[in-house]
Amino acid sequence: VVAHSQTRPPMALSWGELAEAVARCRAGLVRLGVTHGDCVVAYAPNVPETTVAFLAAASLGAIWSSCAPEFGTKSVVDRFAQVEPKVLFAIDGYRYGTKDIDRRGEVAAIQAGLPTLEHTVHIPYLYAGAPTIGAGANGGAANGDWQTLLAEQGPLDFEMVPFDHPLYVLYSSGTTGLPKAIVHGHGSMTLEHQKSLRLHHDLTEGDRFCWFTTTGWMMWNFLMSGLLVGSSIVLFDGDPGWPDLGTLWRLAADTDIDVLGVSASFIMACRKAGVVPPEHHLRSVGSTASPLPPDGFRWVHDVVGADVQTASISGGTDVCSGFVGASPLLPVRAGEISGRMLGCAVEAFDPDGTPCPPGVQGELVITRPMPSMPVAFWNDDDGSKLRNAYFADYPGVWRHGDWVTFEDDGACVISGRSDATLNRGGVRLGTSDFYAVVEGLPEVVDSLVVHLERDDTDDVMGELLLFVALTPDTELDDDLRKRIAGALRSELSPRHVPDAAHAVPVIPRTLSGKKLEVPVKRILNGAKADDVASRSSLSDADSLTWFEEFAATR
């Protein structure tokens, strides 16, 4: 485990040191009374202590769940209270770029909001006592709870559990109501991640694997599984844009990373900023969270390296993996995902449940079980919530909520969320196409597009509205509006030209980076912001205020 952080100096754990730390943490959890089936949660960043705590909990047959420390109190309690944890791991604060962020008040409030909590293990991170990984050998505050927990050596044993025994609980974005608590099992995650990492990402012993992620995103769990295939995992905690967008690329070069994973928006931001990575031996750059536009593929090829594979994948928290993705055996074509993941019966369905022929867009569905479908939703004893979430539209077939178009050879294009579809005059328009064009303009930092139907008129085209966040000191004047419209018309079609474009302070996103297309649409149709989204689940709690005020003036 190789760890870089903007809060403390770099750290590393050898395989032997990792095993000893896990054994010590396991012994400490046993002393706290943790046993098979108990829940252990963490309000902690992507650092070695979190990795050690997760592995120790798993070895006991305990159930793990984590939230990143940038989550607000309500967001954390909404998640953790559902799983009734016995033990909480928590940090005191962290540094993001140059800003110190104290989290001691949030930790106290989280403790107060979890009535089942029996113990809190404090990990010194921002304040006196850091750094620390092991039981005193690497420093740390004498009164640090982490040090006390790891004070005694114990055996590194492993509780035998059934195949579907819960390993960890992940959460949906929670933009409306409580986040769904999605339970994933030991056997399913072991199989799925072995397959994905060893076969699709070609990871093996001696490789170094890094995915930029926080502990509140499924990609953290995916990163932890790099250990399953014998790879070293490289952890990063901090602002990937500080002091500039070259930070992760320098990390890759400095730590000899073989496979680096980031988000599609990060790749596009690097392209727009003109980032030139240092010399490296990267083999693959993974991309997820949203569709990667063709220009993102070209940037990786032209700037990162012509021999570097662009591994675009698409999946979800629901399966903690991908449905479609890359392979070392398949070609890479700009703007396309190379093919179906092994063991994933992915199809495109029309509204009647008929498979779409190649080249025709349809709903992304899974027609046969894949290894990592959820074991259950928490507190859904009869399975009704899970069935309603995935199987209500096509009985016996999983509907994921994305638009997909397959090519003859199995490659595909994801066109955005099907519940955010723009339907102009009966023609479906994918939102990702808009964003690729609009955000390709140098003045546009981020964008969001919604379509409002006009049910009370004969206008079948409805109203297409585009919202853009611009670079500092840029105005959305007539010239920029004309260039946006011209780009959409020439690169997509006249139907893609919005009826109006508006500049906004920030595009609303969830803490995991998803754009809030449907909540914004509901606000523009008259709903209240607090009724369509939980502000504690947003990266900017005030990001919906502008839309609510805008709707009131229409």
Side-chain angles (χ1 to χ4, degrees), residues 23 33 49-50 75 132 137 214 217 334 357 380 454 464 469 479 499 520 527 529 542:
E49 290 90 340
T50 317
S75 185
T132 177
T214 71
W217 188 24
D380 180 30
R454 292 171 174 165
L464 188 64
D479 177 67
D499 296 299
V520 166
D542 297 323

Side-chain angles (χ1 to χ4, degrees), residues 212-417:
F212 175 71
T213 181
T214 71
T215 57
W217 188 24
M218 58 148 281
M219 295 310 297
W220 182 82
N221 305 74
F222 195 74
L223 173 61
M224 293 301 103
S225 291
L227 298 170
L228 281 174
V229 298
S231 296
S232 296
I233 56 174
V234 179
L235 316 181
F236 176 81
D237 177 49
D239 181 358
W242 184 87
D244 55 61
L245 285 167
T247 293
L248 292 181
W249 304 109
R250 290 190 293 272
L251 175 71
D254 293 343
T255 59
D256 295 328
I257 290 172
D258 297 277
V259 176
L260 173 67
V262 293
S263 66
S265 60
F266 177 79
I267 290 175
M268 297 307 290
C270 289
R271 172 184 174 271
K272 182 171 290 189
V275 172
V276 178
E279 290 188 12
H280 54 76
H281 74 274
L282 270 176
R283 189 169 70 240
S284 175
V285 172
S287 172
T288 191
S290 59
L292 181 64
D295 283 345
F297 283 76
R298 297 187 185 102
W299 182 81
V300 173
H301 179 275
D302 296 342
V303 179
V304 181
D307 58 347
V308 176
Q309 179 193 32
T310 306
S312 180
I313 64 175
S314 183
T317 300
D318 321 73
V319 293
C320 198
S321 185
F323 301 119
V324 290
S327 164
L329 306 180
L330 296 176
V332 175
R333 294 195 293 260
E336 295 184 1
I337 297 175
S338 295
R340 296 169 173 86
M341 301 282 273
L342 293 167
C344 296
V346 190
E347 301 290 344
F349 268 18
D350 67 16
D352 297 325
T354 303
C356 298
V360 176
Q361 185 185 83
E363 289 271 4
L364 189 154
V365 299
I366 312 295
T367 60
R368 298 171 63 190
M370 63 178 283
S372 62
M373 285 177 172
V375 171
F377 285 171
W378 199 270
N379 292 327
D380 180 30
D381 294 338
D382 63 358
S384 59
K385 293 179 182 178
L386 188 144
R387 287 192 298 274
N388 288 336
Y390 305 116
F391 299 99
D393 295 279
Y394 305 111
V397 173
W398 173 296
R399 172 188 173 271
H400 192 62
D402 284 339
W403 290 123
V404 65
T405 306
F406 281 99
E407 305 299 336
D408 289 324
D409 63 356
C412 68
V413 175
I414 303 289
S415 303
R417 296 292 298 173

